Amino acid sequence: MSDSSQDFEKQGRSSVSSASAERIKQLARESKVCGLSGDPSLPENLRDLIREADQSKRLLSDEEIQECCDWSGLEAAPLTALQRQVSDLVDQARADLLSEQPQLVQPGGKLYPKDRADACWRDCFHFLRVSIYGTALRKSAVTDSDGMQCLAELYALLDVPVPGLLLALDRLRLHSVDSYSRLGEGVDTKTLGDALSHLGNMIRKEMKRHDGSQRESSEADIK
């Protein structure tokens, strides 16, 4: 994904031998999660705001959250407070995943060595970051369709343990919604939860599509 393309490219050089290095580099450039900057229902100034933040791979500033919330009618303060918990929320999701599937980070596991695990946790950070963008704008459909297709192919090439990643994403959703709900009135836990669910569903959909196209290609080669 463009959010962590450098991480993926680094993984590609170190852990993938059969796949084309050039293809991995191309997918790393073209993979993208956030599609909000192309949403025509948003005013141009907010599309530009989201585009800049996304390209910088960063959370929104307090002022940017306020600007988005002024437009959407959401109370800004609880969402600003939630952003300050992002690292802790990702840590909680990581702990949940490793409690249930500790073998992932052990020798031979798909999140071993540490660089592969770190890239997974960074992806969780970026998924939550984009979901917070969507929440500020009251938009749960936060993804870029073409970018997610590239992400699925990249995940497949790099043998990312997608079921484990999706489990971590689900736990991240639960922890984030719970934390947000306790930050006062004026929160929109539904949009936050729906945005994170939407991300998980899109990953599942695009991985299934990619796996299906790969099978069709293999069957065509056999024929």
Side-chain angles (χ1 to χ4, degrees):
M1 58 202 264
S2 62
D3 297 328
S4 56
S5 60
Q6 292 179 348
D7 302 330
F8 279 130
E9 188 174 335
K10 194 179 301 179
Q11 279 194 58
R13 289 197 302 267
S14 62
S15 62
V16 176
S17 56
S18 60
S20 163
E22 286 304 313
R23 181 59 177 160
I24 289 171
K25 289 180 181 179
Q26 179 185 1
L27 288 169
R29 289 191 299 269
E30 296 178 0
S31 295
K32 181 181 179 182
V33 168
C34 185
L36 291 167
S37 61
D39 186 339
S41 70
L42 296 174
E44 184 176 0
N45 66 303
L46 295 183
R47 295 200 304 269
D48 289 344
L49 181 157
I50 294 297
R51 182 179 298 107
E52 192 281 322
D54 188 46
Q55 288 176 347
S56 298
K57 308 174 191 175
R58 64 172 177 80
L59 296 167
L60 299 175
S61 69
D62 293 357
E63 292 75 19
E64 288 168 334
I65 288 181
Q66 186 67 60
E67 187 173 351
C68 290
C69 290
D70 285 345
W71 178 81
S72 68
L74 185 69
E75 187 175 340
L79 197 58
T80 300
L82 181 70
Q83 276 209 149
R84 297 194 171 95
Q85 300 179 22
V86 164
S87 294
D88 289 339
L89 292 167
V90 171
D91 286 346
Q92 290 174 40
R94 173 176 59 187
D96 286 351
L97 175 60
L98 297 185
S99 175
E100 296 185 41
Q101 300 184 24
Q103 72 279 5
L104 285 173
V105 294
Q106 295 168 358
K110 289 192 173 183
L111 291 182
Y112 183 89
K114 186 175 182 294
D115 283 352
R116 287 179 64 82
D118 287 345
C120 179
W121 317 140
R122 278 191 291 269
D123 282 359
C124 288
F125 165 81
H126 291 307
F127 293 148
L128 183 52
R129 168 176 68 81
V130 171
S131 296
I132 288 174
Y133 293 175
T135 304
L137 297 165
R138 289 192 160 169
K139 298 281 185 177
S140 59
V142 295
T143 54
D144 179 89
S145 179
D146 291 341
M148 293 297 288
Q149 289 180 34
C150 292
L151 179 65
E153 184 178 349
L154 189 58
Y155 275 175
L157 284 174
L158 294 172
D159 199 23
V160 171
V162 173
L165 178 63
L166 289 173
L167 177 58
L169 181 56
D170 184 63
R171 297 299 185 270
L172 183 63
R173 176 182 62 83
L174 294 174
H175 289 304
S176 299
V177 168
D178 180 61
S179 293
Y180 190 29
S181 70
R182 290 187 272 107
L183 290 172
E185 297 181 0
V187 301
D188 188 357
T189 54
K190 185 178 188 306
T191 297
L192 178 64
D194 287 352
L196 287 160
S197 293
H198 168 77
L199 269 163
N201 290 334
M202 286 298 293
I203 292 171
R204 289 186 186 91
K205 173 185 172 183
E206 296 305 334
M207 291 302 300
K208 184 176 181 180
R209 185 207 302 268
H210 175 74
D211 291 344
S213 66
Q214 288 297 101
R215 282 195 297 273
E216 290 175 4
S217 178
S218 297
E219 289 169 3
D221 289 342
I222 292 172
K223 292 176 183 179

